[in-house]
Amino acid sequence: MPDTTTPTRPRSRQRIFADLTPLRTSVHYRRLWVGGTISWLGQAMTALAISLQVYEITRSSFAVGLVGLFALVPLVVFGLYGGAIADTLDRRKLGLYSALGSAALSVALAAAALLDYHRVWFLYAVVALQAVAGALAGPARSAMIPRLLPAEQLPAANALNSVTMTSGTMIGPMLGGLIVGWWGYQAAYLIDAVTFTAALYAMWRLPSMKPDRAEGARGRASVLDGLRFLGTRPNIRMTFFSDMAAMVLAQPKALFPAVAGLWYGGDAKTVGLLVAAPAVGALLGGLFSGWQGRIRRHGLAILLSVAGWGLAIAVFGLTRNLWLGLFFLALAGCADTISMVFRSTMMQAATPDEMRGRLQGVFIVVVAGGPRLGDFLAGTAADLTSPAVAVTGGGLACVLVLGLLALRWRGFARYDARSPQA
C-alpha cells in the first residue's frame, strides 16, 4: 500500500511550481528522492573526473569518447536483465546492494588516485561496472515508486525525479571540475563515495519490496516474458515509439560543434551554451510542473509534447540568431521533460507490479540507446546534406512519424489516467 503519513494540502498552491505532495505524504519516497538527488550529484562529478583523468593520461579525445562506449554497452545489455532481476528479487535489497557496489567503485577510484595508479584500462573497467550497477538499480528504484505513492501522485513524483536528473547533470560536472582543479581526482571520487551514504540510508529504511507475483507465476522473471507482455500492450509500446521518434530523428546534439561556428560564428563557449540550453529548459519544465497532476489524457499530452520537441528542433534549424536558437532549444528541453513525466507515469500506472522492473529495463535501453543512434543519424545526414537540412528535416520527420504512429494506434490519444489501460 502507498505510504501516506501526512494529509495532502490543497491543490491551489500546486498550480505553477512543482507539486511537492509526494515529498510531504510519503516519508519513504522523501528519503528515496533526497538520497537519489545527493548521490546523482556525486555520480555526475565522478563522470566528469574520469573523462578528465582519461584525457590527462592519453591526451586523446578518442580515448575520452570510449568512456561513453564502455558505459553504454553494459547499460543496454544489463538494463533488460536488471529489469528481470527487479521482478524476481526484493527490490529494496537490489537497490541497496547496487548502491553499495557503486560506492565501493568510487572508493576504488579514490584509492587508485591516491596511490598514483593511473591506468586507462582500470578507469574503463570501473566505468563499465558502474554502468552495470546503474542498470540493476534503475529498474528496481523506478518500480518502487508506485508502491510508495498513490496513482494520482505519480506525475508529481516523476517531475521531481526529472529535477533530480537535470540539476545533477548541470551542477555535478561544474562541481567536479572545480574539485578536481582544487584538490585532485581523489577528492572528487571520495566525495562521490560519501554521497552514496544518502542513497544507502534511504534504501535501508525502506520496507521489503518483493514484486507482487501472480498465482502460479514462475520463480524467476523472464526477459522474454516482459517483451511478450509489451507486445500485447499498444499504449505502453507507444510511449517507447514516441520517445524513439524524438531521440532518433530529431537529436541535434552531435551537430552543435558545427552549427556553433557555421551559424553563429562562435567557439567552444557557444557549444557549451547550446548543450546547456535543453538542460535549462528541462529543469524549468520540472520546476514549473504543478499543473501536470491535473492532466488525465496522458497519451494526448505525450503526443503534444513530443510534437513540441520536433517543432522546436525544426525551428532551431532555421535560426541564425544565437539567443533565438537557445530559446528554441530550451523549449525543446522543456517539452522533453513533460513527455518524460507522462511516459513514466503511464508505464508505472498501467503495468502490473510483477512486470514493472522489466519494462523499466526496456525504458533504460531506449533512453540510453536512442540519443546515441540519433547522434549517428544526425551526423550522417549533415555530411550528406548540411547541418540545417539535418536539424530541420529531423524535427519535421519526428512530427511526421509521430502523426503516423498516432493514426495507427488511435486509442493512445484517448488514454485516461483514471482508468489506465496498457
Side-chain angles (χ1 to χ4, degrees):
M1 290 293 291
D3 171 36
T4 53
T5 57
T6 306
T8 303
R9 294 185 182 182
R11 284 191 174 271
S12 59
R13 299 180 61 182
Q14 305 167 359
R15 293 180 179 177
I16 299 176
F17 295 105
D19 186 354
L20 303 182
T21 300
L23 298 177
R24 291 194 296 263
T25 60
S26 172
V27 64
H28 292 306
Y29 175 77
R30 182 166 64 247
R31 290 196 196 104
L32 198 63
W33 184 82
V34 172
T37 300
I38 295 172
S39 62
W40 178 246
L41 189 65
Q43 287 178 279
M45 289 168 48
T46 287
L48 180 77
I50 288 176
S51 295
L52 292 173
Q53 192 172 7
V54 168
Y55 186 76
E56 182 177 297
I57 295 170
T58 65
R59 296 297 173 183
S60 167
S61 296
F62 175 76
V64 176
L66 286 179
V67 173
L69 184 63
F70 275 93
L72 175 63
V73 173
L75 194 62
V76 170
V77 173
F78 284 90
L80 294 174
Y81 288 99
I85 295 172
D87 286 339
T88 303
L89 305 178
D90 185 337
R91 291 160 180 164
R92 169 188 171 271
K93 291 183 179 179
L94 182 58
L96 185 63
Y97 295 151
S98 298
L100 276 171
S102 295
L105 289 169
S106 295
V107 171
L109 285 169
L114 285 168
L115 295 172
D116 288 328
Y117 184 78
H118 303 301
R119 298 291 186 275
V120 173
W121 71 263
F122 173 75
L123 296 175
Y124 288 156
V126 169
V127 165
L129 291 173
Q130 285 176 330
V132 172
L136 294 175
R141 186 181 184 281
S142 179
M144 292 176 188
I145 295 176
R147 298 275 291 271
L148 299 175
L149 298 169
E152 63 270 17
Q153 292 183 22
L154 291 179
N158 287 313
L160 290 170
N161 292 341
S162 76
V163 172
T164 292
M165 298 296 292
T166 307
S167 59
T169 302
M170 292 174 62
I171 300 172
M174 178 182 65
L175 290 178
L178 292 173
I179 290 169
V180 169
W182 289 337
W183 300 305
Y185 300 111
Q186 64 272 16
Y189 299 143
L190 283 173
I191 291 173
D192 184 22
V194 171
T195 64
F196 272 109
T197 59
L200 288 170
Y201 177 74
M203 290 290 178
W204 180 264
R205 294 295 303 272
L206 284 173
S208 175
M209 287 279 177
K210 294 181 179 180
D212 292 334
R213 306 298 298 277
E215 186 175 350
R218 291 184 296 180
R220 176 172 295 181
S222 164
V223 173
L224 290 178
D225 285 346
L227 295 176
R228 292 190 190 101
F229 174 83
L230 183 60
T232 63
R233 299 300 190 271
N235 285 334
I236 301 299
R237 285 202 312 274
M238 266 293 289
T239 64
F240 295 123
F241 290 158
S242 61
D243 186 52
M244 291 294 286
M247 294 297 103
V248 175
L249 298 175
Q251 176 58 262
K253 186 177 180 179
L255 304 182
F256 287 166
V259 303
L262 292 175
W263 296 359
Y264 308 120
D267 53 14
K269 295 178 182 178
T270 308
V271 177
L273 290 173
L274 294 173
V275 172
V280 171
L283 181 59
L284 292 175
L287 292 175
F288 295 93
S289 59
W291 57 273
Q292 294 172 9
R294 299 190 296 277
I295 302 299
R296 297 289 178 261
R297 299 282 295 278
H298 289 184
L300 182 60
I302 292 169
L303 292 175
L304 292 176
S305 55
V306 174
W309 163 276
L311 290 174
I313 295 298
V315 176
F316 164 71
L318 300 175
T319 62
R320 296 301 179 266
N321 177 277
L322 176 59
W323 297 110
L324 190 60
L326 294 175
F327 169 78
F328 282 106
L329 286 176
L331 194 62
C334 181
D336 185 46
T337 288
I338 295 171
S339 166
M340 184 279 296
V341 167
F342 289 115
R343 284 185 290 110
S344 298
T345 300
M346 184 181 291
M347 185 170 62
Q348 292 166 339
T351 304
D353 185 69
E354 65 176 5
M355 287 288 178
R356 283 178 181 145
R358 278 166 283 187
L359 291 197
Q360 183 62 27
V362 177
F363 182 82
I364 288 176
V365 172
V366 171
V367 169
R372 273 72 176 186
L373 184 57
D375 288 342
F376 173 76
L377 184 63
T380 302
D383 280 348
L384 293 175
T385 56
S386 70
V389 171
V391 174
T392 298
L396 294 177
C398 167
V399 176
L400 175 61
V401 169
L402 184 70
L404 294 174
L405 290 170
L407 289 174
R408 172 63 180 83
W409 287 286
R410 297 174 185 269
F412 184 70
R414 297 192 296 271
Y415 176 93
D416 193 321
R418 291 168 294 189
S419 180
Q421 299 291 326

